[in-house]
Amino acid sequence: MAHDNSKITASNPLQTVDAEGDVYILSFPKCGRTWLRLLLARAISTAHGIPMEVCRDLDLTHFSATDSTVPRIVFWHDDRVALRAPEQLSADKDFYRDRKVVLLLRDIRDVAVSHYFQRTRREDDYSGTLGDFLTEGVGSVRTCLEFWNIWHAQQHVPAAFLLSSYERLTADTSGELARILRFCGLTQAVDPSAVEEAVAFARFGAMRAMERDDVFRSEKLRASDPGDAESYKTRRGVVGGFRDYLSDEQADQVGALVRGHLVPAWQQAALAADNPPGPLFSTAK
């Protein structure tokens, strides 16, 4: 599928991302994109008979170069969101007007804890405490909530929009993966055998082993310190794991931010560890 790249300018934060995607899978950091990336990669590999080795650096667009029937799927954090303060985020999503978008959410408290360890154990660019991080002005809870607010307001802009979440993938991995595959146009990969192979391939223990052994030779799935469990990309994979790190007061503080700043329609998803996964709003043109 050909696209008009004229919107990619020096002022457009998407200028460094692959502009030829058919489907963009977006999220704030630490919402489960690497897991979903592996699930999709294995399902495509199995269904289309393309070796996983083709997916160099876990870049799914290599599958499209091998088989033109596979849509170009691009993973991206959108607007360099982790580097922004809430007021610096762009509400202009016109870039996605002729593209499909999958937005992946996760309980904001689990996001905050996991992102803190990403910053302190993997990127080593933050020296504050976890409590400090919860109220950071750049790339933390308030930024994430504003990012979600923007996408709630702009979800009508892409050619099609699908909302998913880490908790939905956890509760029904096969079903949610099939839903995402179908949305992406990967009807061949929705075959139950391909889906089940992908689910088995990307189970948490297998991902942890692949990361420990640096199977993909990629920073996307490589522990910064194999001896430090908190430095792994596949750190814990537990819904509600924030309870082991945040005090009740800290968790309540984040909950208050959700109720005070996030659009009501997505508040349940932002506090998903307190509730069973419910229906998520999505639109398609």
Side-chain angles (χ1 to χ4, degrees), residues 162-207:
L162 186 76
L163 191 66
S164 184
S165 75
Y166 184 86
E167 290 77 19
R168 285 180 66 104
L169 275 169
T170 299
D172 180 12
T173 308
S174 297
E176 190 65 6
L177 174 59
R179 190 173 79 105
I180 295 169
L181 287 165
R182 194 173 291 110
F183 174 82
C184 292
L186 289 159
T187 54
Q188 190 170 329
V190 179
D191 180 270
S193 62
V195 170
E196 292 308 316
E197 167 63 24
V199 172
F201 176 79
R203 68 188 189 279
F204 183 85
M207 283 184 63

Side-chain angles (χ1 to χ4, degrees), residues 164-262:
S164 184
S165 75
Y166 184 86
E167 290 77 19
R168 285 180 66 104
L169 275 169
T170 299
D172 180 12
T173 308
S174 297
E176 190 65 6
L177 174 59
R179 190 173 79 105
I180 295 169
L181 287 165
R182 194 173 291 110
F183 174 82
C184 292
L186 289 159
T187 54
Q188 190 170 329
V190 179
D191 180 270
S193 62
V195 170
E196 292 308 316
E197 167 63 24
V199 172
F201 176 79
R203 68 188 189 279
F204 183 85
M207 283 184 63
R208 172 60 71 93
M210 286 186 278
E211 182 170 7
R212 181 193 63 227
D213 298 337
D214 197 16
V215 168
F216 291 102
R217 300 289 189 269
S218 171
E219 291 293 338
K220 297 182 180 69
L221 195 64
R222 176 186 295 150
S224 60
D225 178 0
D228 180 1
E230 304 290 10
S231 78
Y232 277 71
K233 191 83 169 180
T234 50
R235 196 179 57 84
R236 291 189 68 194
V238 176
V239 172
F242 69 86
R243 297 185 181 97
D244 294 331
Y245 299 90
L246 300 182
S247 67
D248 290 344
E249 291 76 14
Q250 289 171 327
D252 289 345
Q253 176 186 19
V254 178
L257 288 173
V258 170
R259 290 184 289 274
H261 295 280
L262 182 62

Side-chain angles (χ1 to χ4, degrees), residues 119-185:
R119 294 284 304 276
T120 56
R121 304 294 179 87
R122 292 179 62 83
E123 297 172 0
D124 194 25
D125 65 353
Y126 187 77
S127 59
T129 67
L130 176 55
D132 294 335
F133 186 70
L134 297 177
T135 57
E136 279 294 329
V138 174
S140 190
V141 173
R142 283 283 291 110
T143 297
C144 183
L145 295 176
E146 182 59 22
F147 178 63
W148 290 348
N149 280 335
I150 288 170
W151 267 111
H152 180 270
Q154 301 299 322
Q155 61 188 292
H156 64 282
V157 173
F161 178 84
L162 186 76
L163 191 66
S164 184
S165 75
Y166 184 86
E167 290 77 19
R168 285 180 66 104
L169 275 169
T170 299
D172 180 12
T173 308
S174 297
E176 190 65 6
L177 174 59
R179 190 173 79 105
I180 295 169
L181 287 165
R182 194 173 291 110
F183 174 82
C184 292

Side-chain angles (χ1 to χ4, degrees), residues 7-41:
K7 299 183 183 70
I8 303 176
T9 66
S11 62
N12 191 321
L14 282 162
Q15 62 183 313
T16 59
V17 76
D18 183 343
E20 293 298 328
D22 301 309
V23 182
Y24 282 82
I25 297 181
L26 310 178
S27 76
F28 193 81
K30 313 310 296 181
C31 286
R33 288 189 329 146
T34 302
W35 182 26
L36 181 55
R37 187 192 291 266
L38 280 178
L39 286 166
L40 290 173

